[in-house]
Amino acid sequence: MQNGSPTKPSPKVSSISRRFSYALIGVVTLMWVGFAAFAIFFNVSKMEGELEQRLNNSLELAQISLPKPLWNVDHDIVEDFVKSLFLDKSIVYAKVLWGNLVITERKHEKFEQKDFSYFESSSTFIARTSDIIYAGQKVGTIQLVMSREIIKKELVVNISVIVNLTLVVIAGISVTSVFITRRYISRPLLELQNSATAIAQGDLEAFIDTSSSDEIGSLAKDLDVMRDSIKQLFGELSASKDELEEYSRTLEQKVEVRTQELARSVEELKALGEVSQAVSSTLDLQKVLATIVAHAAELSGTESGAIYEFDEASEEFQLRATHRMSEELIQAIQEAGVKLGETALGRAGVNREAVQISDILEEPTYPTSETMQQEGFRALLAVPLLREDRLIGGLVVRRRAPGQFQKETVDLLQTFATQSALAIQNARLFREIEAKGRELEIASKHKSDFLANMSHELRTPLNAILGYTELILDKIYGEVPENIQEVLERVEKNGRHLLGLINDVLDLSKIEAGQLVLSLDDYSMKEVVHTVFTSVESLAAEKNLELKVSVSPEVAQGKGDQQRISQVFLNLVGNAIKFTEAGEVRIEATASNDNFVVSVSDTGPGLSEADQQMIFEEFHQVDGSSTRKKGGTGLGLSIAKRIVEMHGGRIWVESTEGQGSTFWFTLPVRVERQKEQT
């Protein structure tokens, strides 16, 4: 391979030492800058996180410290708290609101003319807003702003230090790398380059200095070995060229086959996606099964298909959906019937696995064989529909060409069978749920009708008993002996108690039946409270309980059902007196944000956490035993809750065992229409 032309001089190249120095300086600089950038980012992130945490801590402290002062509208405590927040130099703005009223606002002197929206829109600050909650109600809002100025100052210092260090490192590396690379790398590599150039030009006998024992010497020895290998490679190159041409021809064929396989996989995935969407998006069983059988027939390369549902009672498969089947074939299948254990589908159901017939002509006794031959079908595949090993139905596809179905086709059909079983099972469950729902609705209506009828039937004779008892006590029928009078008074008292229980049951049945209608009219909350106080004062006096009432002057005229609101009061106050043995019962009414806020508190035994969760449920009583000391149906609080919610308000309880209970409820001051019950 050597030619007779003289060796051409090597072209002038740039100094490798200089390039190596530049590269080394560049790499070190990049690494240094990268490290510096990471350090700056880490420090900034850390400081940012610390600022965020400090701001969140301040908000959490506000949520702990401010609820009660805001509830009491204590300006001094709120102002002192905000001043204490400014001990943190990063906080530049704080504002506390009670509703729309600003309780206090404090700013850094640099931002006297700025408002909260300015800080929110600026990246220089972190602005947060938090609600202040007291007793489950929002009593105020706090807005805090913290400056990121300290992060900017720290960033400037870090960049200055990094720039100076980078310049010092670059200068040191430049001097050192130039000296070392020029002496130990550039000169030996230049000689090796000349030898390589000669070999590249065809001089395979060019001199190569292999005396050095370092890496460059090893490279020279490798170059010498490479020179010997080039001759051998020239011979092998010709043979490899022929092999490459042959491989190129076969590669196109393999790519085409693989492309077809991928296209088929995409079609299968698309079809399965459409089937899954149909199963999950609709309960129309016929539509879902028709979609499944159409895709199954298309992707399996068959001409028709059908899906059957298995009837466990008759052990027969009922035809549910078809694809490209003639009326004659459908009629023949329905007349012959498909029983468990018979036909390919029946055997598939028994064996719990796919069954196929490769040629229908080989099974002349097969049911519907004659009709299928007339239609031109020769082979069929039956796959059982299983759900947790329970037979749900079957999927059958038919093909006009005889022969076995491939394993891939069987696996694909089993996937569609799974989707079909899921669709049928969903439809069955939906039908069961609909039936149960109708049964429950009928039972609920019967219960409400029964309660309403029984309440009316019981109340009529009871009113008569109470009327005659009052007449006897009023001595309409003559003098009443003293010992009989005491008994009659007990009869009247217990009768009125029973009448109250019956009225509760009647009210509940009306509410559940949607027949309770509020009579909305103007009323005075002060008069309602006074009326309730007058009604229960004697009950409290009997137990030596102090009954206290506090009505705020802000309580104005309202609109609602006065009778039903009084019923809520009587239930709450009556319960408080009934369950309190010593101490006091207090009624308080205030107005806030167009709502009446009412509380009934007592010094009774209190309620456990479990009872607080269930006390407003129907027929629930704190003491549910058969030997309980306190009477009642457990309907009073449930009815009170329904009445309050029909007015658009809400009711809740706060209690600690052994420390009494406080029942709260709110009502809109003006109720224009009744809220629908859910």
PDB file of all heavy atoms in Angstrom, residues 562-591:
ATOM      1  N   GLN A 562     -91.964  31.971  63.768  1.00  0.00           N
ATOM      2  CA  GLN A 562     -91.773  32.221  65.195  1.00  0.00           C
ATOM      3  C   GLN A 562     -92.124  30.993  66.029  1.00  0.00           C
ATOM      4  O   GLN A 562     -91.427  30.657  66.983  1.00  0.00           O
ATOM      5  CB  GLN A 562     -92.622  33.427  65.624  1.00  0.00           C
ATOM      6  CG  GLN A 562     -92.484  33.765  67.109  1.00  0.00           C
ATOM      7  CD  GLN A 562     -93.217  35.050  67.463  1.00  0.00           C
ATOM      8  OE1 GLN A 562     -93.574  35.822  66.589  1.00  0.00           O
ATOM      9  NE2 GLN A 562     -93.438  35.281  68.750  1.00  0.00           N
ATOM     10  N   GLN A 563     -93.194  30.290  65.657  1.00  0.00           N
ATOM     11  CA  GLN A 563     -93.612  29.124  66.442  1.00  0.00           C
ATOM     12  C   GLN A 563     -92.541  28.033  66.411  1.00  0.00           C
ATOM     13  O   GLN A 563     -92.208  27.448  67.445  1.00  0.00           O
ATOM     14  CB  GLN A 563     -94.932  28.579  65.891  1.00  0.00           C
ATOM     15  CG  GLN A 563     -95.443  27.346  66.640  1.00  0.00           C
ATOM     16  CD  GLN A 563     -96.724  26.797  66.035  1.00  0.00           C
ATOM     17  OE1 GLN A 563     -97.281  27.396  65.129  1.00  0.00           O
ATOM     18  NE2 GLN A 563     -97.185  25.668  66.527  1.00  0.00           N
ATOM     19  N   ARG A 564     -91.972  27.769  65.217  1.00  0.00           N
ATOM     20  CA  ARG A 564     -90.962  26.723  65.116  1.00  0.00           C
ATOM     21  C   ARG A 564     -89.651  27.136  65.788  1.00  0.00           C
ATOM     22  O   ARG A 564     -88.943  26.306  66.369  1.00  0.00           O
ATOM     23  CB  ARG A 564     -90.706  26.391  63.644  1.00  0.00           C
ATOM     24  CG  ARG A 564     -91.899  25.747  62.960  1.00  0.00           C
ATOM     25  CD  ARG A 564     -92.268  24.432  63.617  1.00  0.00           C
ATOM     26  NE  ARG A 564     -93.440  23.807  62.989  1.00  0.00           N
ATOM     27  CZ  ARG A 564     -93.975  22.658  63.389  1.00  0.00           C
ATOM     28  NH1 ARG A 564     -93.473  22.031  64.432  1.00  0.00           N
ATOM     29  NH2 ARG A 564     -95.024  22.166  62.775  1.00  0.00           N
ATOM     30  N   ILE A 565     -89.312  28.440  65.704  1.00  0.00           N
ATOM     31  CA  ILE A 565     -88.104  28.911  66.394  1.00  0.00           C
ATOM     32  C   ILE A 565     -88.279  28.771  67.900  1.00  0.00           C
ATOM     33  O   ILE A 565     -87.355  28.370  68.621  1.00  0.00           O
ATOM     34  CB  ILE A 565     -87.797  30.369  65.993  1.00  0.00           C
ATOM     35  CG1 ILE A 565     -87.443  30.442  64.504  1.00  0.00           C
ATOM     36  CG2 ILE A 565     -86.651  30.934  66.830  1.00  0.00           C
ATOM     37  CD1 ILE A 565     -87.307  31.847  63.972  1.00  0.00           C
ATOM     38  N   SER A 566     -89.489  29.077  68.411  1.00  0.00           N
ATOM     39  CA  SER A 566     -89.768  28.880  69.838  1.00  0.00           C
ATOM     40  C   SER A 566     -89.637  27.404  70.207  1.00  0.00           C
ATOM     41  O   SER A 566     -89.154  27.051  71.299  1.00  0.00           O
ATOM     42  CB  SER A 566     -91.174  29.388  70.165  1.00  0.00           C
ATOM     43  OG  SER A 566     -91.291  30.769  69.887  1.00  0.00           O
ATOM     44  N   GLN A 567     -90.069  26.520  69.290  1.00  0.00           N
ATOM     45  CA  GLN A 567     -89.949  25.077  69.541  1.00  0.00           C
ATOM     46  C   GLN A 567     -88.482  24.675  69.687  1.00  0.00           C
ATOM     47  O   GLN A 567     -88.134  23.862  70.543  1.00  0.00           O
ATOM     48  CB  GLN A 567     -90.603  24.308  68.396  1.00  0.00           C
ATOM     49  CG  GLN A 567     -90.614  22.808  68.581  1.00  0.00           C
ATOM     50  CD  GLN A 567     -91.317  22.089  67.423  1.00  0.00           C
ATOM     51  OE1 GLN A 567     -91.923  22.720  66.565  1.00  0.00           O
ATOM     52  NE2 GLN A 567     -91.247  20.778  67.409  1.00  0.00           N
ATOM     53  N   VAL A 568     -87.592  25.255  68.854  1.00  0.00           N
ATOM     54  CA  VAL A 568     -86.160  24.969  68.972  1.00  0.00           C
ATOM     55  C   VAL A 568     -85.649  25.417  70.335  1.00  0.00           C
ATOM     56  O   VAL A 568     -84.933  24.690  71.033  1.00  0.00           O
ATOM     57  CB  VAL A 568     -85.375  25.677  67.841  1.00  0.00           C
ATOM     58  CG1 VAL A 568     -83.877  25.524  68.067  1.00  0.00           C
ATOM     59  CG2 VAL A 568     -85.770  25.117  66.487  1.00  0.00           C
ATOM     60  N   PHE A 569     -86.023  26.655  70.754  1.00  0.00           N
ATOM     61  CA  PHE A 569     -85.613  27.167  72.064  1.00  0.00           C
ATOM     62  C   PHE A 569     -86.084  26.236  73.178  1.00  0.00           C
ATOM     63  O   PHE A 569     -85.325  25.879  74.086  1.00  0.00           O
ATOM     64  CB  PHE A 569     -86.194  28.567  72.280  1.00  0.00           C
ATOM     65  CG  PHE A 569     -85.286  29.685  71.863  1.00  0.00           C
ATOM     66  CD1 PHE A 569     -85.528  30.391  70.705  1.00  0.00           C
ATOM     67  CD2 PHE A 569     -84.193  30.034  72.637  1.00  0.00           C
ATOM     68  CE1 PHE A 569     -84.706  31.425  70.322  1.00  0.00           C
ATOM     69  CE2 PHE A 569     -83.359  31.069  72.265  1.00  0.00           C
ATOM     70  CZ  PHE A 569     -83.602  31.779  71.101  1.00  0.00           C
ATOM     71  N   LEU A 570     -87.379  25.871  73.141  1.00  0.00           N
ATOM     72  CA  LEU A 570     -87.937  25.037  74.212  1.00  0.00           C
ATOM     73  C   LEU A 570     -87.236  23.687  74.285  1.00  0.00           C
ATOM     74  O   LEU A 570     -87.006  23.155  75.385  1.00  0.00           O
ATOM     75  CB  LEU A 570     -89.439  24.852  73.988  1.00  0.00           C
ATOM     76  CG  LEU A 570     -90.306  26.099  74.229  1.00  0.00           C
ATOM     77  CD1 LEU A 570     -91.734  25.856  73.781  1.00  0.00           C
ATOM     78  CD2 LEU A 570     -90.269  26.482  75.709  1.00  0.00           C
ATOM     79  N   ASN A 571     -86.893  23.095  73.132  1.00  0.00           N
ATOM     80  CA  ASN A 571     -86.171  21.821  73.137  1.00  0.00           C
ATOM     81  C   ASN A 571     -84.814  21.967  73.812  1.00  0.00           C
ATOM     82  O   ASN A 571     -84.415  21.152  74.658  1.00  0.00           O
ATOM     83  CB  ASN A 571     -85.986  21.319  71.701  1.00  0.00           C
ATOM     84  CG  ASN A 571     -87.126  20.432  71.249  1.00  0.00           C
ATOM     85  OD1 ASN A 571     -87.624  19.615  72.015  1.00  0.00           O
ATOM     86  ND2 ASN A 571     -87.549  20.611  70.010  1.00  0.00           N
ATOM     87  N   LEU A 572     -84.061  23.003  73.409  1.00  0.00           N
ATOM     88  CA  LEU A 572     -82.710  23.183  73.946  1.00  0.00           C
ATOM     89  C   LEU A 572     -82.739  23.537  75.428  1.00  0.00           C
ATOM     90  O   LEU A 572     -81.991  22.963  76.240  1.00  0.00           O
ATOM     91  CB  LEU A 572     -81.968  24.261  73.152  1.00  0.00           C
ATOM     92  CG  LEU A 572     -81.704  23.969  71.674  1.00  0.00           C
ATOM     93  CD1 LEU A 572     -80.973  25.122  71.025  1.00  0.00           C
ATOM     94  CD2 LEU A 572     -80.896  22.684  71.512  1.00  0.00           C
ATOM     95  N   VAL A 573     -83.584  24.525  75.804  1.00  0.00           N
ATOM     96  CA  VAL A 573     -83.650  24.947  77.206  1.00  0.00           C
ATOM     97  C   VAL A 573     -84.234  23.830  78.069  1.00  0.00           C
ATOM     98  O   VAL A 573     -83.768  23.576  79.191  1.00  0.00           O
ATOM     99  CB  VAL A 573     -84.468  26.245  77.331  1.00  0.00           C
ATOM    100  CG1 VAL A 573     -84.556  26.672  78.797  1.00  0.00           C
ATOM    101  CG2 VAL A 573     -83.831  27.355  76.500  1.00  0.00           C
ATOM    102  N   GLY A 574     -85.274  23.138  77.554  1.00  0.00           N
ATOM    103  CA  GLY A 574     -85.855  22.025  78.311  1.00  0.00           C
ATOM    104  C   GLY A 574     -84.848  20.926  78.573  1.00  0.00           C
ATOM    105  O   GLY A 574     -84.774  20.381  79.680  1.00  0.00           O
ATOM    106  N   ASN A 575     -84.045  20.572  77.570  1.00  0.00           N
ATOM    107  CA  ASN A 575     -82.996  19.564  77.768  1.00  0.00           C
ATOM    108  C   ASN A 575     -81.978  20.029  78.796  1.00  0.00           C
ATOM    109  O   ASN A 575     -81.504  19.249  79.632  1.00  0.00           O
ATOM    110  CB  ASN A 575     -82.300  19.271  76.441  1.00  0.00           C
ATOM    111  CG  ASN A 575     -83.070  18.295  75.592  1.00  0.00           C
ATOM    112  OD1 ASN A 575     -84.029  17.677  76.058  1.00  0.00           O
ATOM    113  ND2 ASN A 575     -82.684  18.163  74.336  1.00  0.00           N
ATOM    114  N   ALA A 576     -81.579  21.319  78.702  1.00  0.00           N
ATOM    115  CA  ALA A 576     -80.576  21.831  79.646  1.00  0.00           C
ATOM    116  C   ALA A 576     -81.084  21.726  81.076  1.00  0.00           C
ATOM    117  O   ALA A 576     -80.345  21.323  81.991  1.00  0.00           O
ATOM    118  CB  ALA A 576     -80.235  23.283  79.294  1.00  0.00           C
ATOM    119  N   ILE A 577     -82.361  22.093  81.307  1.00  0.00           N
ATOM    120  CA  ILE A 577     -82.924  22.003  82.665  1.00  0.00           C
ATOM    121  C   ILE A 577     -83.054  20.543  83.086  1.00  0.00           C
ATOM    122  O   ILE A 577     -82.763  20.171  84.231  1.00  0.00           O
ATOM    123  CB  ILE A 577     -84.292  22.713  82.703  1.00  0.00           C
ATOM    124  CG1 ILE A 577     -84.104  24.219  82.471  1.00  0.00           C
ATOM    125  CG2 ILE A 577     -84.998  22.456  84.026  1.00  0.00           C
ATOM    126  CD1 ILE A 577     -85.408  24.983  82.329  1.00  0.00           C
ATOM    127  N   LYS A 578     -83.481  19.671  82.159  1.00  0.00           N
ATOM    128  CA  LYS A 578     -83.702  18.260  82.492  1.00  0.00           C
ATOM    129  C   LYS A 578     -82.413  17.568  82.925  1.00  0.00           C
ATOM    130  O   LYS A 578     -82.408  16.768  83.856  1.00  0.00           O
ATOM    131  CB  LYS A 578     -84.316  17.553  81.282  1.00  0.00           C
ATOM    132  CG  LYS A 578     -84.569  16.071  81.513  1.00  0.00           C
ATOM    133  CD  LYS A 578     -85.443  15.469  80.425  1.00  0.00           C
ATOM    134  CE  LYS A 578     -84.802  15.526  79.078  1.00  0.00           C
ATOM    135  NZ  LYS A 578     -85.599  14.825  78.047  1.00  0.00           N
ATOM    136  N   PHE A 579     -81.285  17.884  82.271  1.00  0.00           N
ATOM    137  CA  PHE A 579     -80.047  17.166  82.547  1.00  0.00           C
ATOM    138  C   PHE A 579     -79.129  17.905  83.525  1.00  0.00           C
ATOM    139  O   PHE A 579     -78.027  17.440  83.798  1.00  0.00           O
ATOM    140  CB  PHE A 579     -79.289  16.913  81.236  1.00  0.00           C
ATOM    141  CG  PHE A 579     -79.936  15.894  80.355  1.00  0.00           C
ATOM    142  CD1 PHE A 579     -80.725  16.279  79.286  1.00  0.00           C
ATOM    143  CD2 PHE A 579     -79.787  14.541  80.619  1.00  0.00           C
ATOM    144  CE1 PHE A 579     -81.336  15.339  78.480  1.00  0.00           C
ATOM    145  CE2 PHE A 579     -80.394  13.591  79.808  1.00  0.00           C
ATOM    146  CZ  PHE A 579     -81.176  13.989  78.741  1.00  0.00           C
ATOM    147  N   THR A 580     -79.543  19.064  84.038  1.00  0.00           N
ATOM    148  CA  THR A 580     -78.712  19.810  84.988  1.00  0.00           C
ATOM    149  C   THR A 580     -79.317  19.679  86.380  1.00  0.00           C
ATOM    150  O   THR A 580     -80.491  20.006  86.595  1.00  0.00           O
ATOM    151  CB  THR A 580     -78.634  21.291  84.581  1.00  0.00           C
ATOM    152  OG1 THR A 580     -78.122  21.389  83.252  1.00  0.00           O
ATOM    153  CG2 THR A 580     -77.710  22.050  85.512  1.00  0.00           C
ATOM    154  N   GLU A 581     -78.519  19.201  87.327  1.00  0.00           N
ATOM    155  CA  GLU A 581     -78.996  18.988  88.701  1.00  0.00           C
ATOM    156  C   GLU A 581     -78.678  20.166  89.604  1.00  0.00           C
ATOM    157  O   GLU A 581     -79.338  20.372  90.618  1.00  0.00           O
ATOM    158  CB  GLU A 581     -78.388  17.704  89.287  1.00  0.00           C
ATOM    159  CG  GLU A 581     -78.725  16.439  88.500  1.00  0.00           C
ATOM    160  CD  GLU A 581     -80.226  16.197  88.423  1.00  0.00           C
ATOM    161  OE1 GLU A 581     -80.951  16.599  89.355  1.00  0.00           O
ATOM    162  OE2 GLU A 581     -80.677  15.602  87.418  1.00  0.00           O
ATOM    163  N   ALA A 582     -77.644  20.931  89.304  1.00  0.00           N
ATOM    164  CA  ALA A 582     -77.269  22.069  90.148  1.00  0.00           C
ATOM    165  C   ALA A 582     -76.525  23.086  89.301  1.00  0.00           C
ATOM    166  O   ALA A 582     -75.867  22.737  88.323  1.00  0.00           O
ATOM    167  CB  ALA A 582     -76.388  21.615  91.316  1.00  0.00           C
ATOM    168  N   GLY A 583     -76.677  24.376  89.680  1.00  0.00           N
ATOM    169  CA  GLY A 583     -75.953  25.410  88.945  1.00  0.00           C
ATOM    170  C   GLY A 583     -76.906  26.325  88.209  1.00  0.00           C
ATOM    171  O   GLY A 583     -77.859  26.841  88.795  1.00  0.00           O
ATOM    172  N   GLU A 584     -76.663  26.498  86.902  1.00  0.00           N
ATOM    173  CA  GLU A 584     -77.446  27.464  86.156  1.00  0.00           C
ATOM    174  C   GLU A 584     -77.630  27.031  84.711  1.00  0.00           C
ATOM    175  O   GLU A 584     -76.890  26.191  84.188  1.00  0.00           O
ATOM    176  CB  GLU A 584     -76.776  28.836  86.177  1.00  0.00           C
ATOM    177  CG  GLU A 584     -75.464  28.879  85.407  1.00  0.00           C
ATOM    178  CD  GLU A 584     -74.867  30.278  85.367  1.00  0.00           C
ATOM    179  OE1 GLU A 584     -75.150  31.067  86.283  1.00  0.00           O
ATOM    180  OE2 GLU A 584     -74.111  30.572  84.419  1.00  0.00           O
ATOM    181  N   VAL A 585     -78.631  27.635  84.070  1.00  0.00           N
ATOM    182  CA  VAL A 585     -78.870  27.510  82.638  1.00  0.00           C
ATOM    183  C   VAL A 585     -78.919  28.928  82.077  1.00  0.00           C
ATOM    184  O   VAL A 585     -79.637  29.783  82.605  1.00  0.00           O
ATOM    185  CB  VAL A 585     -80.185  26.765  82.335  1.00  0.00           C
ATOM    186  CG1 VAL A 585     -80.479  26.794  80.836  1.00  0.00           C
ATOM    187  CG2 VAL A 585     -80.109  25.329  82.837  1.00  0.00           C
ATOM    188  N   ARG A 586     -78.143  29.182  81.024  1.00  0.00           N
ATOM    189  CA  ARG A 586     -78.028  30.543  80.489  1.00  0.00           C
ATOM    190  C   ARG A 586     -78.453  30.562  79.020  1.00  0.00           C
ATOM    191  O   ARG A 586     -78.046  29.710  78.229  1.00  0.00           O
ATOM    192  CB  ARG A 586     -76.590  31.042  80.624  1.00  0.00           C
ATOM    193  CG  ARG A 586     -76.366  32.440  80.026  1.00  0.00           C
ATOM    194  CD  ARG A 586     -74.905  32.835  80.144  1.00  0.00           C
ATOM    195  NE  ARG A 586     -74.535  33.035  81.526  1.00  0.00           N
ATOM    196  CZ  ARG A 586     -74.664  34.186  82.185  1.00  0.00           C
ATOM    197  NH1 ARG A 586     -75.164  35.250  81.555  1.00  0.00           N
ATOM    198  NH2 ARG A 586     -74.287  34.286  83.441  1.00  0.00           N
ATOM    199  N   ILE A 587     -79.273  31.573  78.663  1.00  0.00           N
ATOM    200  CA  ILE A 587     -79.695  31.799  77.276  1.00  0.00           C
ATOM    201  C   ILE A 587     -79.090  33.117  76.819  1.00  0.00           C
ATOM    202  O   ILE A 587     -79.278  34.146  77.485  1.00  0.00           O
ATOM    203  CB  ILE A 587     -81.225  31.855  77.151  1.00  0.00           C
ATOM    204  CG1 ILE A 587     -81.886  30.603  77.765  1.00  0.00           C
ATOM    205  CG2 ILE A 587     -81.639  32.008  75.695  1.00  0.00           C
ATOM    206  CD1 ILE A 587     -83.389  30.705  77.844  1.00  0.00           C
ATOM    207  N   GLU A 588     -78.365  33.100  75.699  1.00  0.00           N
ATOM    208  CA  GLU A 588     -77.769  34.316  75.153  1.00  0.00           C
ATOM    209  C   GLU A 588     -78.131  34.436  73.675  1.00  0.00           C
ATOM    210  O   GLU A 588     -78.120  33.439  72.947  1.00  0.00           O
ATOM    211  CB  GLU A 588     -76.245  34.305  75.316  1.00  0.00           C
ATOM    212  CG  GLU A 588     -75.798  34.359  76.766  1.00  0.00           C
ATOM    213  CD  GLU A 588     -74.278  34.453  76.886  1.00  0.00           C
ATOM    214  OE1 GLU A 588     -73.609  34.424  75.837  1.00  0.00           O
ATOM    215  OE2 GLU A 588     -73.774  34.559  78.017  1.00  0.00           O
ATOM    216  N   ALA A 589     -78.422  35.670  73.241  1.00  0.00           N
ATOM    217  CA  ALA A 589     -78.761  35.925  71.837  1.00  0.00           C
ATOM    218  C   ALA A 589     -78.066  37.200  71.386  1.00  0.00           C
ATOM    219  O   ALA A 589     -78.175  38.237  72.047  1.00  0.00           O
ATOM    220  CB  ALA A 589     -80.275  36.047  71.653  1.00  0.00           C
ATOM    221  N   THR A 590     -77.331  37.113  70.280  1.00  0.00           N
ATOM    222  CA  THR A 590     -76.654  38.271  69.700  1.00  0.00           C
ATOM    223  C   THR A 590     -76.909  38.274  68.196  1.00  0.00           C
ATOM    224  O   THR A 590     -77.506  37.332  67.652  1.00  0.00           O
ATOM    225  CB  THR A 590     -75.138  38.230  69.969  1.00  0.00           C
ATOM    226  OG1 THR A 590     -74.596  37.043  69.370  1.00  0.00           O
ATOM    227  CG2 THR A 590     -74.841  38.219  71.451  1.00  0.00           C
ATOM    228  N   ALA A 591     -76.424  39.319  67.515  1.00  0.00           N
ATOM    229  CA  ALA A 591     -76.546  39.426  66.056  1.00  0.00           C
ATOM    230  C   ALA A 591     -75.169  39.685  65.467  1.00  0.00           C
ATOM    231  O   ALA A 591     -74.381  40.461  66.013  1.00  0.00           O
ATOM    232  CB  ALA A 591     -77.508  40.540  65.660  1.00  0.00           C
TER     233      ALA A 591
END
